[in-house]
Amino acid sequence: MAALVNDRWWVLRINAFPDHALWTLFVDGVPRFDIDQAPSTWGRPLEPWPMLESVIAEEVLAPVENFVAYGSEAGQPCDDPFCCG
């Protein structure tokens, strides 16, 4: 998921839960937090998320596209075949 918040792109990566945190939040391509539970203020969307135009999606995801495995953003990607393989 991605959202533009105060002119900064927030991207959530879903991880191999429960072996790792449920999500990792990136802000403008920089890892900020690991999150195990959705904050109560998030609620549940009533409608599907709108899709980003492909050009915008490519731009937003470019800084995090190589951070697929948990820990890869810190140079220590998980290589356990049971959770990240």
Side-chain angles (χ1 to χ4, degrees), residues 66-84:
N66 292 319
F67 302 146
V68 176
Y70 183 82
S72 58
E73 66 279 4
Q76 300 174 343
C78 176
D79 60 0
D80 186 325
F82 295 104
C83 62
C84 295

Side-chain angles (χ1 to χ4, degrees), residues 28-65:
D28 285 341
V30 177
R32 304 300 263 175
F33 303 102
D34 283 338
I35 304 168
D36 285 323
Q37 293 182 328
S40 60
T41 55
W42 282 10
R44 294 186 63 138
L46 299 176
E47 298 178 16
W49 289 93
M51 297 294 290
L52 293 174
E53 294 179 24
S54 61
V55 173
I56 294 172
E58 288 177 21
E59 179 183 329
V60 170
L61 296 177
V64 298
E65 68 183 343

